[in-house]
């Protein structure tokens, strides 16, 4: 199962290049799942992406299920507002996507063997699914936040401005967590592995596979049909006085990183502009004035340079370029004796260079990032300095005037790309690794086995204890009566206390006996249908990468962490006191653990308590584990809490109530449509939430 959330995904006529979120990653994922669908050893491939209903985009993106072939489907899941949104705005809504994915998996009735996440947002979702279901995660970053931040700062942007603009703090933490939990990380080039993944605390060379993406031989290796050639010729004839000249081509979305202006500056040199044409396929656009500011400025600069150097009749820049026409462009440029310009400041890989090689078109490249890997494999081009247009123009001129050298590069690119850079070769390498992961994987502990006492129940009510349930005895009595009278409600608690402490507190406050208990901050689950029984599957699930003694040894040297009392400690929970604990505390503890090769979840509550847990442990993960095991729809789960360690059981598709006496850690949920902030404290707030959600009448 692949997960790629942002951008526009559809199987027919994908709109690659429409914006920065619908670029190379979209094409990579679509080509990959299509190739997987043709592989005899793969039974089923699903791609989970965001469902979009927006008049500005095609209605295709609002269809729940799109079958691409008998084995391959795109499944679309709601994630925040229905309109199209850039990826930086989706972070607050990923819990909804996660719960939607859980519901979809439950409806299918089988667990996928692998969750393959593309980009940081999908990585975070895949890790959350893995923590609930025990499925191994494969991660392809495509673009990494630490590297982007370093580049932005090198170009003069302040760190704070970069973080605000691109949500880099949240993105980098998601990448750290994904790399930490992934069974395999796929890098497209040696440069990406060496220069980017090494920047992360959880970098481990043994878990990274360098596996360059493939090229569609049928699309780029074979000559295009007559109809598409005619369409291309008609398009170019609108711009070019002499279409027979050698064509220098560039295919890129309108992004400053692609260095499009450098291509125009190079072409404007007298030696080239008289000899060649320049063809720019810069994605699709309608009205430049309506584009994102960065795209708008770049395209305005493109038009300015064309006018400044009076390149009319020599430069083509069509408004649209369908995928089949883009493929035909490579062959047109090869027939004309031209070259591909790949002058980007950085590329994780540079798939257009492979497509050029497959079509027999030499390349002129900056060699930045993964593009140097392609030249090493294909020997089909030259490396230039795009910041020196005159020198670059001279070297391009020399190449085009040397037919023997040009032909050697063209033939070398064809042969090497077919031998090493096809989707078949990519999948052969990929499946070799994935088979080992699946073979070594412990059978997931989730089983859909609903206890008989739940047969009449359609809803779960889960409440934290301290300051959520406790504090108002009259309200507790009313809540007890409702739970006792309603066969459709199964009542449970979720608490930071251990089992013994939880039961004592419930008894002292005369709370009705719960039918299940999630205790010790989500590290223990007990059912209570006549007999208190621990959930052994959950305990086995939590053993994943848990090294408690090593964690105690490392954190025992931290002066600002003070161990809590013995009764607060548990098999899967290490607890400390810390003055003024906050998000910075979490980051510092996690970084310290990561640098010592340890993986753990860190939770702060009440700005004073710090809990270190297995990576799969939390109240929210335990709740979703039970929901999957009991086949309960998450929209029929009602939760209530008051502090930070309740956060992930309040997010997503569950119907959450935050009681009036909550801590400031939960204010981030204030705009969540599935969260009700009650003005009433403790159990009275829980009752208020049940009224709000229509579960009980106001008079009850």
């Amino acid at each position: 199962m692949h997960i790629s959330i942002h951008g526009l995904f559809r199987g027919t006529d994908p709109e690659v290049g429409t914006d920065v979120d619908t670029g190379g990653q979209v094409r990579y994922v679509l080509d990959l799942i299509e190739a997987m669908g043709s592989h005899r050893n793969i039974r089923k491939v699903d791609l989970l992406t965001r469902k979009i209903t927006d008049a500005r985009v095609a209605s295709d993106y609002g269809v729940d299920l799109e079958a691409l072939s008998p084995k391959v489907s795109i499944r679309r899941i709601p994630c925040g507002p229905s309109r199209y949104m850039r990826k930086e705005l989706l972070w607050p809504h990923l819990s909804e996507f996660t719960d939607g994915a859980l519901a979809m998996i439950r409806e299918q009735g089988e667990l996928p063997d692998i969750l393959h996440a593309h980009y940081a947002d999908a990585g975070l979702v895949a890790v959350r699914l893995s923590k609930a279901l025990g499925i191994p995660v494969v991660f392809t970053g495509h673009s990494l936040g630490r590297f982007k931040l370093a580049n932005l700062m090198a170009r003069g942007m302040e760190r704070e401005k970069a973080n605000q603009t691109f949500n880099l703090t949240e993105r980098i933490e998601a990448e750290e967590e994904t790399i930490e939990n992934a069974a395999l990380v796929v890098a497209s080039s040696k440069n990406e592995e060496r220069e980017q993944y090494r920047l992360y605390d959880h970098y481990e060379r043994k878990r990274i596979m360098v596996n360059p993406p493939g090229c569609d031989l049928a699309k780029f290796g074979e000559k295009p049909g007559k109809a598409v050639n005619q369409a291309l010729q008609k398009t170019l004839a609108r711009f070019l006085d002499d279409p027979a000249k050698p064509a220098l081509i560039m295919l890129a979305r309108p992004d400053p990183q692609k260095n499009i202006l450098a291509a125009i500056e190079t072409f404007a040199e007298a030696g080239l502009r008289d000899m060649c044409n320049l063809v720019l396929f810069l994605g699709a656009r309608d009205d430049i004035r309506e584009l994102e500011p960065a795209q708008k400025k770049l395209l305005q600069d493109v038009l300015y340079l064309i006018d400044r150097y009076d390149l009319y009749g020599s430069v083509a820049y069509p408004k649209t370029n369908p995928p089949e026409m883009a493929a035909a462009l490579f062959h047109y440029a090869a027939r004309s004796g031209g070259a591909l310009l790949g002058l980007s400041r950085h590329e994780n890989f540079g798939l257009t260079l492979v497509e050029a090689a497959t079509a027999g078109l030499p390349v002129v490249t900056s060699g930045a990032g993964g593009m140097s890997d392609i030249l090493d494999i294909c020997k089909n081009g030259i490396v230039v300095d795009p910041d020196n247009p005159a020198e670059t123009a001279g070297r391009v001129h020399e190449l085009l005037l040397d037919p023997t050298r040009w032909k050697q590069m063209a033939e070398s690119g064809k042969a090497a790309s077919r031998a090493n850079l096809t989707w078949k070769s990519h999948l052969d390498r990929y499946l070799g690794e994935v088979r080992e992961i699946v073979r070594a994987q412990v059978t997931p502990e989730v089983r859909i086995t609903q206890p008989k006492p739940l047969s009449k129940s359609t809803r779960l009510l889960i409440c934290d204890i301290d300051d959520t349930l406790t504090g108002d005895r009259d309200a507790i009595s009313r809540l007890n009566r409702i739970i006792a009278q309603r066969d459709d409600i199964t009542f449970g608690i979720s608490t930071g206390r251990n089992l013994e402490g939880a039961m004592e507190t419930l008894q002292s406050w005369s709370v009705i006996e719960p039918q299940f208990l999630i205790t010790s901050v989500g590290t223990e689950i007990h059912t209570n249908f006549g007999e208190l029984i621990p959930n052994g599957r959950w305990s086995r699930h939590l053993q994943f990468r848990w090294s408690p003694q090593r964690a105690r040894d490392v954190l025992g040297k931290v002066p600002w962490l003070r161990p809590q009392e013995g009764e607060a400690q548990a098999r899967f929970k290490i607890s400390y006191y810390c003055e003024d604990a906050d998000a910075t505390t979490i980051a510092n503890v996690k970084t310290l653990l990561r640098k010592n090769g340890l993986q753990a979840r860190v939770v702060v509550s009440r700005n004073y308590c710090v809990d270190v847990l297995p990576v799969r442990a939390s109240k929210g993960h335990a709740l979703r584990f039970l929901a999957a095991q009991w086949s309960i729809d998450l929209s029929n789960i009602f939760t209530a809490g008051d502090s930070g360690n309740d956060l992930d059981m309040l997010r997503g598709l569950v119907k959450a109530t935050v009681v009036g006496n909550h801590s400031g850690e939960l204010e981030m949920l204030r705009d969540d449509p599935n969260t009700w902030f009650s003005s009433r404290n403790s159990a009275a707030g829980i009752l208020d939430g049940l009224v709000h959600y229509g579960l009980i009448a106001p008079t009850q």
Side-chain angles (χ1 to χ4, degrees), residues 362-378:
V363 302
V364 177
T365 173
S366 64
M371 293 188 288
S372 59
D373 282 23
I374 298 171
L375 286 192
D376 287 344
I377 294 169
C378 293

Side-chain angles (χ1 to χ4, degrees), residues 397-444:
H397 193 267
E398 290 174 5
L399 173 62
L400 300 187
L401 288 178
D402 188 343
T404 301
R405 187 183 180 205
W406 188 98
K407 186 175 181 181
Q408 286 174 342
M409 289 182 177
E411 294 300 326
S412 176
K414 279 185 180 181
S417 61
R418 283 165 168 75
N420 302 294
L421 296 172
T422 65
W423 281 114
K424 181 183 182 304
S425 60
H426 176 93
L427 280 180
D428 287 344
R429 294 185 292 265
Y430 174 88
L431 290 177
E433 295 286 339
V434 167
R435 283 192 196 97
E436 291 303 314
I437 293 170
V438 173
R439 189 176 293 125
Q441 169 68 6
V442 176
T443 303

